Amino acid sequence: MAEGKVLTGAGLRGQIAGQTALSTVGKAGAGLTYRGYDVRELAKDCLFEEVAYLLFYGELPTQAQLDGYLTQLQTQRDLPQALKEVLERIPASAHPMDVMRTGCSMLGNLEPEESFEQQLDKANRLMAAFPAIMCYWYRFSHEGVRIDCTSDAPDLGSHFLTLLHGKAPSELHRKVMNVSLILYAEHEFNASTFTARVCASTLSDLFSCITGAIGSLRGPLHGGANEAAMEMIEKFATPEEATEGTLAMLARKDKIMGFGHAIYSVSDPRNEVIKGWSKLLAEEVGDTVLFPVSEAIDKVMWEQKKLFPNADFYHASAYNFMGIPTKLFTPIFVCSRVTGWASHVFEQRSNNRIIRPSAEYIGVEQRPVPPIAAR
Ligand SMILES: CC(=O)SCCNC(=O)CCNC(=O)[C@H](O)C(C)(C)COP(=O)(O)OP(=O)(O)OC[C@H]1O[C@@H](n2cnc3c(N)ncnc32)[C@H](O)[C@@H]1OP(=O)(O)O
Ligand SMILES: O=C([O-])CC(=O)C(=O)O
């Protein structure tokens, strides 16, 4: 069970910045829950869309509600032509998180949130459209293909894999992508969600809140860690090399991406779930390198620093085994976390006061402005 950490110091650590009924993170005896449900239980039995529904509407859907919701989301997957044209103009060298940011912002121009009464419709629309934003740009810029942004895939995870690979995923890949989307969906006041809430507190529109959140998620200390972890893992050909290399990085005081957490102190409850699925995928593809290398890094980090893998570390190998290009790892996080971000925007709006903390001034004392010739 995840334990509470002693939280003080810079980075607003340990300060209550608001209230939420959406999730617990690192609460002693509760670990990670979404609206009271253990994330591990949700990841075992639910579809990602059930979790999205839970976050957006407050309760898990009945079968009839879920069927209706899946159908609704399926009809919202296609992109307007003007957005496709914008995506076609973004170079292949662009970072896909910048593509997601631009795609979100452009959709906000074409289909703006004109009143807060539209917030749920706009959140569902964004969630349904994100896989196509990512894959339309990726396949056009890298393969010269203009893909059909719709698919028959019943759920968002398999829709994404279908658009990316041009064929329906295997049952195992569909399952893993679904689990991954659930694990990444919501995490209280992390940096990107807090960004969204600050933006929401000015009574801005949903697209602005989500665009800002994407920018915060992009950094390697947050969502970008899954890509950074993959780049590190790939450098090692054997577990022995990984052990030596990790020790050398620690000696240089490098940050090891995919380890540690701002709130959890002994484990990230999402790790055991994705690690299990990564192991299964490794067996499926007959991997003898990536998974053993990952475990070797994991062992050194625990032995040397008592640092544990966070949600991002074994996501790297899991996504790699499913043939997903590394640069798309963090954009998948966006496809999932848009549910948490939007739910926090709704929560902020429902009991709002502009978020405006104070700063401790550490600059020079007040002084007269000298004439320019005297400076
Ligand atoms: C989905 C997510 O966003 S999960 C987070 C993803 N990010 C990463 O994986 C990036 C790597 N990890 C980190 O940079 C950090 O652990 C963070 C940003 C997640 C948390 O930062 P903090 O709350 O400041 O970490 P914390 O207070 O636990 O750090 C304690 C010590 O461990 C060190 N440490 C923490 N994580 C790491 C790491 N991954 N590698 C090496 N050292 C680390 C810190 O530098 C600090 O050392 P110091 O006391 O000598 O300065
Ligand atoms: O909570 C955090 O600081 C980072 C994190 O794990 C997440 O956003 O999923």
Side-chain angles (χ1 to χ4, degrees), residues 5-8 10-11 13 183-184 187 190-192 217 219-226 228-229 249-250 253-265 268 270 301 305 307-313 333 337:
K5 191 166 170 176
V6 180
L7 298 167
T8 55
R13 201 69 82 256
L183 296 180
Y184 272 147
H187 219 241
N190 60 83
S192 55
L217 189 72
L221 295 189
H222 191 13
N226 55 15
M249 284 193 285
L250 287 177
K253 303 232 171 297
D254 289 353
K255 276 266 161 75
I256 313 297
M257 294 305 167
F259 286 87
H261 200 272
I263 307 293
Y264 299 124
S265 56
D268 179 332
R270 299 165 294 184
M301 289 303 284
K305 301 276 290 184
L307 284 172
F308 50 87
N310 56 47
D312 282 330
F313 188 66
F333 200 153
R337 185 57 62 88

Side-chain angles (χ1 to χ4, degrees), residues 87-88 90-93 135-145:
L87 294 171
E88 288 185 17
I90 303 177
S93 59
C135 294
Y136 188 86
W137 166 78
Y138 183 80
R139 303 249 348 247
F140 182 80
S141 61
H142 289 65
E143 298 167 20
V145 180

Side-chain angles (χ1 to χ4, degrees), residues 22 34-35 37 42 46-61 65-66 69-70 72-73 120 123-128 156 178 181-186 335-344 346:
L22 289 162
Y34 298 167
R35 292 200 187 276
Y37 296 110
L42 293 167
C46 293
L47 254 191
F48 167 65
E49 283 79 352
E50 292 175 74
V51 171
Y53 192 100
L54 170 71
L55 292 170
F56 285 169
Y57 299 96
E59 291 297 342
L60 286 167
Q65 286 167 332
L66 177 62
Y69 191 47
L70 288 169
Q72 175 199 330
L73 291 172
L120 272 161
N124 283 320
R125 167 67 169 137
L126 249 180
M127 180 173 74
L156 193 119
N178 181 65
L181 292 170
I182 291 176
L183 296 180
Y184 272 147
E186 159 57 13
C335 295
S336 161
R337 185 57 62 88
V338 65
T339 55
W341 290 332
S343 304
H344 277 274
F346 306 161

Side-chain angles (χ1 to χ4, degrees), residues 110-122:
L110 299 171
E111 302 174 9
E113 185 191 29
E114 277 153 352
S115 98
F116 290 173
E117 276 161 34
Q118 298 174 337
Q119 64 182 16
L120 272 161
D121 288 345
K122 298 298 170 185

Side-chain angles (χ1 to χ4, degrees), residues 221-299:
L221 295 189
H222 191 13
N226 55 15
E227 292 180 29
M230 189 67 227
E231 281 155 18
M232 174 185 66
I233 295 164
E234 274 180 324
K235 288 195 185 124
F236 304 120
T238 63
E240 294 71 29
E241 256 185 45
T243 302
E244 262 175 52
T246 310
L247 286 169
M249 284 193 285
L250 287 177
R252 287 197 305 267
K253 303 232 171 297
D254 289 353
K255 276 266 161 75
I256 313 297
M257 294 305 167
F259 286 87
H261 200 272
I263 307 293
Y264 299 124
S265 56
V266 288
S267 68
D268 179 332
R270 299 165 294 184
N271 175 57
E272 67 183 55
V273 182
I274 195 63
K275 183 176 176 182
W277 286 105
S278 179
K279 190 165 192 290
L280 260 183
L281 289 165
E283 283 159 17
E284 186 205 40
V285 300
D287 165 71
T288 54
V289 178
L290 281 187
F291 195 80
V293 159
S294 303
E295 283 199 306
I297 300 171
D298 187 348
K299 188 161 177 280

Side-chain angles (χ1 to χ4, degrees), residues 161-215:
L161 289 170
T162 303
L163 296 193
L164 178 65
H165 296 311
K167 61 177 179 21
S170 69
E171 187 47 31
L172 177 61
H173 291 192
R174 188 200 67 75
K175 175 74 188 160
V176 179
M177 189 47 62
N178 181 65
V179 167
S180 165
L181 292 170
I182 291 176
L183 296 180
Y184 272 147
E186 159 57 13
H187 219 241
E188 202 223 44
F189 278 19
N190 60 83
S192 55
T193 301
F194 196 60
T195 303
R197 283 192 82 129
V198 170
C199 190
S201 83
T202 71
L203 301 184
S204 188
D205 71 296
L206 181 70
F207 292 92
S208 298
C209 299
I210 305 297
T211 303
I214 293 171

